[in-house]
Amino acid sequence: MVLHTSPFPSSFLSCLHSLSWALIFPCFWLGDRLLASFLPTTYEKRQRSDDPCYFQALCIIITTPIYLALLVSSLPFAFIGFLVWSPLQAVRRPYIYSRLQDKARASGAKLLTEWRATSSAKSFCFGSANVCLLPDSLARFTNLFNTQARAKEIGRRIRNGASRPQIKIYIDSPTNTSISAASFSSLVSPQGADVTHRAVNMGMKRTTSMEYKVENYGENSSEEGRDGKNGGDMGEGEDACIIRIGGEDSGHTADTEPDPMGGHVNVACLAETEPDFQKSPTSNHKHREGDGGSLDSCTTSRESLVKGKVADGATDQSSINNKLLYKASIIKKAAARKKKHSDDILDHEISAFFPANLDFLCLQEVFDKRAAEKLKEQLHYYFEYILYDVGVYSCYGCCGFKALNSGLMFASRYPILDATYHCYPNGRGSDALAAKGALFIKVQVGTTPQDQRIVGYVSCTHLHALAGDAMIRCEQIDSLLEWMSEFRKSTSSSSAANPEELVAFDVVCGDLNFDNCSSEDKLEQQHTLFTHYKDPCRLGPGEEKPWAIGTLLDPEGLYDEEVCTPDNLQKVLENEEGRKEYLVYPTSKNHCPNHKGRKVPLKGSGRRIDYMLYSEEGLNMEWKVEIEEYSFITQLAGLTDHVPVAMRLTVSTGEDES
């Protein structure tokens, strides 16, 4: 199937559409600004309270009549433009496919080595986030503003987090089984050193700022170089750094200086200089001390700062200070990690950064077209293939008038073979104004030695949002499963007798707008979706795993100092009392407010409405799919009211390495 690089089949229709939208846009923009001026966010309210001269209020009084007069004068042109724009939607394609032609721009992305299915395992990393990129006036209903600047910053943070080297720090502890500790910067090779593998033996000094001093650098032995490969976790062409703290490394001992906690640190990693990105867009949000959201920023948090000091006098201290700092995530693991059930060995963390080597990204609520363009430009620094502007408009292709598209966006490092979109026909109320639906994608992730294609399926969706409409959501899930089955049948080029391709994974990502704890969501919790697809965070209907947390933030607290930066939000979510303060919880019907006016939690650790599901049905019979790790990500703190999630999935081919 040919992927659509233009929304219309001919350049004439594209020009006609651009002309019609040019007539509509002034009216749309003025109406958006006029409404936004009467919907202040809590951040703006605080600014106004600190303004003794009421300057901002005076600006509103002056600009409102001007906006109103211009809006009225633009209405005739908008009406003419609408008469042209609306019929054109009948021939509009349901998405736009963008492929990065200038590979040099993707300086943040490592070149992928084609998977030949000859190694024992291959891992793929999936991310999902609801970014709330609505027109500015609508975004303010969720206490967010400045959609265009947020779109740039969201894209910049995602590609900065994903393009860092994959550094894992495992803390083996028989007593500490909490979710995850703070992320931090570490481990940079000296500038100008032509070294491929490097081992760093470190004495770990425990301080409030988590300062780690590098005692010496040494050449990596062959055994250490293979340390990160033995588990089959790392894919070809991926940077990796494995750090084990306080645990026994079978078959390997290192001469390290013990830290005050009694543990040892051994590092075996591929060290490379972080690539220079092209000039990043200026963010509308000032980076405070403690904001670890941007890796190319000169500021890092107290909890995530690591100062590397080399004892070798031949190394210039000034060159060390100029090094870019890498980020690592600490994953705490119990000593009794090896249990009978495979579900018990799942790594989980609350991370201040998107996972390194992120392969696929599913986004929801990218409704604003200008914001989608800005976000796409940023993501193309890392992802080569992107689908955006997904959905339908006006009265064509779906039931009822659609003022907004589906809000779905998909980005991939692997080639997209096929894609299709379906609109849910049963939207109701304000949700019916958006073309909410499902986007189905088929990607190629490798080729076998017998020239069979290795493919994967990813589905991205956003379900009905209004509370109390459980039947509507269940009907939409029914449609999702039906469309998914049809898509796989229509795009498959294989048969049982002549398998031309092998399926490695089948993943569903999105905002499903129900959780696994609320009594009002019992119908959705028991849907057959969860018999076909597995939820790594779920034990059963109404029962979450102990480490799972909610993904919906309380909008009123988005700009509180405690949660306005990635590191600060990470600390809050790692604490039960912090989660109760800043996450939306399932509540009983007869609730009473607490001292801040928020609802008293019923149970669980917040409303988890953002899901990542995977299936073992319809895959290659000889392969095994397992979840390597699951992450709740705080890197978009202050930019959205959702907590993004990520999942690293490992496909084992069953072939033993000799």
Side-chain angles (χ1 to χ4, degrees):
M1 180 178 178
V2 178
L3 297 169
H4 309 306
T5 57
S6 170
F8 292 96
S10 69
S11 57
F12 172 75
L13 293 177
S14 296
C15 292
L16 198 59
H17 177 266
S18 299
L19 177 63
S20 64
W21 183 246
L23 294 173
I24 296 172
F25 180 74
C27 182
F28 165 78
W29 186 85
L30 290 166
D32 184 51
R33 297 312 311 154
L34 183 63
L35 182 59
S37 63
F38 293 99
L39 295 170
T41 63
T42 55
Y43 177 80
E44 293 169 327
K45 288 178 182 177
R46 291 171 189 172
Q47 284 187 323
R48 293 178 186 178
S49 64
D50 296 335
D51 181 15
C53 299
Y54 300 99
F55 177 75
Q56 294 179 343
L58 184 62
C59 289
I60 293 176
I61 294 174
I62 296 175
T63 57
T64 297
I66 298 175
Y67 281 146
L68 190 58
L70 293 174
L71 176 64
V72 173
S73 62
S74 65
L75 283 174
F77 299 98
F79 180 72
I80 296 173
F82 180 80
L83 293 179
V84 178
W85 173 85
S86 184
L88 288 175
Q89 306 312 306
V91 294
R92 182 188 179 277
R93 291 160 173 168
Y95 61 81
I96 302 177
Y97 170 68
S98 175
R99 180 179 180 182
L100 185 64
Q101 300 299 328
D102 183 9
K103 299 291 184 67
R105 276 194 59 199
S107 52
K110 292 287 297 179
L111 294 176
L112 293 173
T113 304
E114 186 178 42
W115 184 34
R116 302 292 293 179
T118 55
S119 60
S120 61
K122 172 71 174 177
S123 66
F124 302 95
C125 190
F126 303 81
S128 179
N130 184 318
V131 291
C132 199
L133 292 177
L134 289 145
D136 198 49
S137 58
L138 299 181
R140 289 170 179 267
F141 285 100
T142 54
N143 201 27
L144 293 164
F145 67 107
N146 210 336
T147 296
Q148 306 306 317
R150 281 195 300 116
K152 286 184 178 181
E153 182 65 10
I154 287 171
R156 191 169 72 93
R157 290 193 188 186
I158 291 174
R159 50 97 165 173
N160 280 355
S163 60
R164 63 196 171 94
Q166 185 176 351
I167 302 175
K168 291 184 182 179
I169 298 179
Y170 292 110
I171 299 181
D172 295 322
S173 169
T175 57
N176 193 348
T177 57
S178 59
I179 296 178
S180 173
S183 297
F184 63 93
S185 311
S186 76
L187 311 178
V188 232
S189 61
Q191 289 181 348
D194 186 14
V195 180
T196 304
H197 292 80
R198 185 173 300 278
V200 184
N201 295 325
M202 306 168 60
M204 189 172 70
K205 178 182 177 182
R206 187 71 171 182
T207 65
T208 55
S209 63
M210 295 185 68
E211 176 177 322
Y212 289 70
K213 295 184 178 181
V214 180
E215 300 297 337
N216 60 76
Y217 282 86
E219 293 299 326
N220 188 22
S221 65
S222 59
E223 291 182 0
E224 290 168 337
R226 292 191 299 267
D227 187 49
K229 300 286 184 181
N230 293 339
D233 292 340
M234 303 302 162
E236 295 90 338
E238 295 180 353
D239 282 349
C241 181
I242 305 297
I243 304 175
R244 292 182 176 86
I245 299 179
E248 295 181 358
D249 192 2
S250 59
H252 174 72
T253 59
D255 295 330
T256 59
E257 178 182 343
D259 71 336
M261 300 173 63
H264 288 80
V265 181
N266 174 262
V267 180
C269 67
L270 261 167
E272 288 188 5
T273 303
E274 183 172 356
D276 278 332
F277 293 108
Q278 292 186 1
K279 290 185 179 180
S280 301
T282 302
S283 170
N284 190 60
H285 302 272
K286 294 182 179 180
H287 291 279
R288 305 184 184 182
E289 182 181 2
D291 188 358
S294 300
L295 299 185
D296 54 358
S297 173
C298 295
T299 61
T300 53
S301 71
R302 292 187 298 272
E303 286 293 323
S304 65
L305 181 62
V306 176
K307 299 177 182 178
K309 296 183 180 180
V310 181
D312 188 359
T315 305
D316 184 15
Q317 184 65 34
S318 62
S319 66
I320 299 173
N321 295 333
N322 291 330
K323 293 181 183 114
L324 294 173
L325 296 177
Y326 287 150
K327 303 289 181 178
S329 296
I330 298 178
I331 304 177
K332 294 182 179 177
K333 305 193 299 180
R337 185 170 180 267
K338 296 182 179 180
K339 300 183 179 180
K340 294 181 180 179
H341 302 287
S342 59
D343 288 344
D344 294 332
I345 65 174
L346 171 64
D347 291 339
H348 49 270
E349 65 171 335
I350 299 175
S351 174
F353 302 95
F354 275 85
N357 300 316
L358 182 65
D359 295 309
F360 307 101
L361 178 66
C362 297
L363 299 177
Q364 302 88 47
E365 292 200 12
V366 190
F367 288 116
D368 189 274
K369 296 176 70 173
R370 291 186 299 149
E373 287 286 348
K374 292 178 174 65
L375 180 59
K376 173 183 71 78
E377 289 300 315
Q378 289 296 317
L379 293 180
H380 260 322
Y381 282 99
Y382 180 80
F383 295 100
E384 185 175 349
Y385 311 92
I386 295 178
L387 296 175
Y388 70 106
D389 198 8
V390 179
V392 295
Y393 296 93
S394 191
C395 301
Y396 303 94
C398 203
C399 300
F401 179 82
K402 303 299 178 186
L404 300 171
N405 60 21
S406 70
L408 301 176
M409 177 182 276
F410 177 76
S412 171
R413 297 172 70 198
Y414 290 90
I416 298 175
L417 298 178
D418 209 339
T420 191
Y421 159 82
H422 291 279
C423 177
Y424 293 127
N426 61 342
R428 190 176 70 85
S430 58
D431 249 29
L433 293 176
K436 285 189 174 182
L439 176 66
F440 304 98
I441 308 101
K442 179 181 180 181
V443 295
Q444 181 172 353
V445 296
T447 308
T448 68
Q450 294 77 29
D451 291 330
Q452 295 172 296
R453 287 192 307 191
I454 305 174
V455 301
Y457 289 92
V458 183
S459 304
C460 183
T461 189
H462 189 187
L463 298 186
H464 186 75
L466 300 184
D469 289 339
M471 284 302 302
I472 292 180
R473 280 186 287 272
C474 286
E475 290 172 2
Q476 290 179 347
I477 298 175
D478 291 338
S479 300
L480 175 71
L481 293 173
E482 181 182 351
W483 294 334
M484 200 180 304
S485 177
E486 292 175 356
F487 178 70
R488 289 195 58 168
K489 290 179 181 178
S490 64
T491 59
S492 176
S493 59
S494 300
S495 63
N498 183 28
E500 297 179 3
E501 61 186 25
L502 304 176
V503 180
F505 56 80
D506 184 357
V507 173
V508 177
C509 308
D511 181 354
L512 303 190
N513 275 311
F514 67 86
D515 62 72
N516 197 35
C517 293
S518 297
S519 56
E520 296 180 353
D521 295 336
K522 284 185 177 179
L523 198 61
E524 298 98 314
Q525 294 165 11
Q526 299 172 357
H527 197 278
T528 55
L529 170 70
F530 297 103
T531 62
H532 298 287
Y533 288 83
K534 293 184 177 181
D535 182 356
C537 301
R538 166 184 161 120
L539 289 173
E543 188 177 6
E544 295 277 81
K545 291 185 178 179
W547 50 265
I549 65 171
T551 60
L552 186 60
L553 295 168
D554 186 347
E556 293 298 318
L558 289 180
Y559 304 107
D560 288 1
E561 187 176 356
E562 292 82 0
V563 295
C564 65
T565 67
D567 286 338
N568 289 352
L569 179 57
Q570 181 189 38
K571 296 175 196 175
V572 166
L573 295 184
E574 288 170 348
N575 179 272
E576 184 177 357
E577 292 302 318
R579 292 196 294 269
K580 290 179 180 179
E581 187 70 20
Y582 289 102
L583 289 180
V584 175
Y585 270 71
T587 56
S588 60
K589 295 180 180 179
N590 300 321
H591 67 271
C592 56
N594 63 12
H595 67 284
K596 278 202 171 184
R598 296 191 175 99
K599 299 176 181 179
V600 175
L602 181 65
K603 61 177 181 176
S605 295
R607 295 200 66 203
R608 184 177 61 88
I609 64 175
D610 298 273
Y611 289 78
M612 303 203 75
L613 313 175
Y614 70 100
S615 176
E616 296 178 344
E617 300 177 2
L619 309 183
N620 184 31
M621 298 294 293
E622 299 178 356
W623 293 358
K624 184 179 180 181
V625 176
E626 293 179 336
I627 301 301
E628 180 183 339
E629 64 184 50
Y630 197 96
S631 305
F632 298 91
I633 301 159
T634 63
Q635 194 169 6
L636 302 186
L639 301 177
T640 178
D641 61 341
H642 285 246
V643 177
V645 293
M647 175 178 72
R648 195 175 296 276
L649 179 148
T650 300
V651 181
S652 303
T653 62
E655 297 184 20
D656 296 327
E657 290 183 343
S658 56

